[in-house]
Structures are given as C-alpha cells and as structure tokens.
Amino acid sequence: MRFMMMIKSDQETESNAPPTEELLAAMADYNEEMARAGVLISGEGLHPSSEGVRLHFKDGKYTRIDGPFLDPRSLLAGYWLIEVDSLEDAIQWALRSPFYSRKFSTSSPSGGEVELELRQIFETEEFEEALTPELREREERLREQLESRP
C-alpha cells in the first residue's frame, strides 16, 4: 500500500524561514532510515503558498488565484510518499518523524505543533471496470516510462 504522508503548513513554514541545521539533520536521518527500510519512494519540502498559485476550473474556464493563501494549517509544507503493508505501518513511520521528538516540540515559533496527514493512494486495481484493458495498458506504459527516467 502506498501512502502520502503530508506535513501541514504553519506560520513558520509559510514565512519561508529556513529550517535549523538541527532539524535538517534530523530529517536527513529520518529519510535515510526510511530508505534503508525500503519504504521511502520520495519526499520533498514545498515553498510557501506566497510563491504558489491556485487554478480554479469551472465550465471549461479557469480563474487564477495567486498566493499567499489563508489558513496555513490547511496547506502543505511537504510530503513523503511511502510504501508499507498497512495504515498502521504508515502511522508507525509517522511516529518516527522528527516532529514527534520532544527535541523539536518547543524550539519553533509554532510551539512545536505539527500535523501530519496520512492518505492512501489509489492503486490501479481499485478502479475495476472503469479501467478498460486499453487504459490499463496506457497506465502501465506511463509507469514504465517514469521508472526509466534518469
């Protein structure tokens, strides 16, 4: 099962303040631990919403909305894409994150309050009849193409 583990934004991440060396080292340790265990597929931090844009689509048209966006806690600061056997395994990996450590719980302007959201990713098999043999073949070709990228 694949899960996206999303780090929610806060005032600190939205301010574009760089993380401390200590937090970067802890994140590197965590990422390396997940990679050694074979569960990490990818993970990245995101620039603040002030540098982003939203596109709202309706009736074949779009509206552009430039950041920053309200309510930082509804935004993402980063993510990990992991592959584990169950939701409980994903939760256990989230509990190993540097954010769960008391070391980082009081050193940030947000008071160390961080929210991680876990969401399972749809697998091709879950689409049943809607995924025709032709669409399945296209999906497989695309995945092969992406995996072969340097």
Side-chain angles (χ1 to χ4, degrees):
M1 305 171 111
R2 293 179 301 155
F3 287 86
M4 181 169 276
M5 187 165 40
M6 298 166 276
I7 307 163
K8 295 296 187 109
S9 290
D10 60 18
Q11 291 178 347
E12 185 177 2
T13 59
E14 282 294 296
S15 75
N16 207 16
T20 64
E21 180 180 339
E22 184 179 37
L23 180 56
L24 286 175
M27 294 293 282
D29 291 344
Y30 180 60
N31 292 340
E32 289 169 357
E33 179 184 3
M34 287 195 296
R36 280 191 306 274
V39 301
L40 181 63
I41 297 170
S42 68
E44 302 292 341
L46 303 173
H47 282 264
S49 71
S50 60
E51 298 177 25
V53 63
R54 286 183 176 163
L55 300 176
H56 179 82
F57 299 95
K58 183 176 180 180
D59 299 326
K61 297 181 180 182
Y62 78 93
T63 303
R64 176 184 169 144
I65 305 159
D66 291 309
F69 307 121
L70 300 177
D71 188 17
R73 300 200 48 86
S74 68
L75 304 172
L76 296 180
Y79 73 93
W80 290 280
L81 187 58
I82 61 174
E83 187 163 8
V84 293
D85 292 330
S86 67
L87 173 59
E88 290 307 313
D89 288 346
I91 291 169
Q92 290 306 308
W93 279 106
L95 293 176
R96 292 180 184 179
S97 78
F99 303 114
Y100 191 57
S101 167
R102 293 188 59 60
K103 179 190 286 186
F104 298 105
S105 65
T106 57
S107 63
S108 72
S110 64
E113 185 174 343
V114 175
E115 185 174 347
L116 294 181
E117 181 177 334
L118 295 166
R119 303 275 300 275
Q120 187 175 350
I121 295 172
F122 275 107
E123 300 297 341
T124 307
E125 301 78 34
E126 296 179 78
F127 293 112
E128 299 176 0
E129 308 86 42
L131 192 66
T132 65
E134 294 82 15
L135 290 173
R136 182 178 302 276
E137 185 179 319
R138 286 175 64 186
E139 178 70 19
E140 288 171 4
R141 276 196 318 266
L142 177 60
R143 287 181 190 263
E144 288 172 6
Q145 178 183 2
L146 293 174
E147 288 173 4
S148 68
R149 283 183 17 192

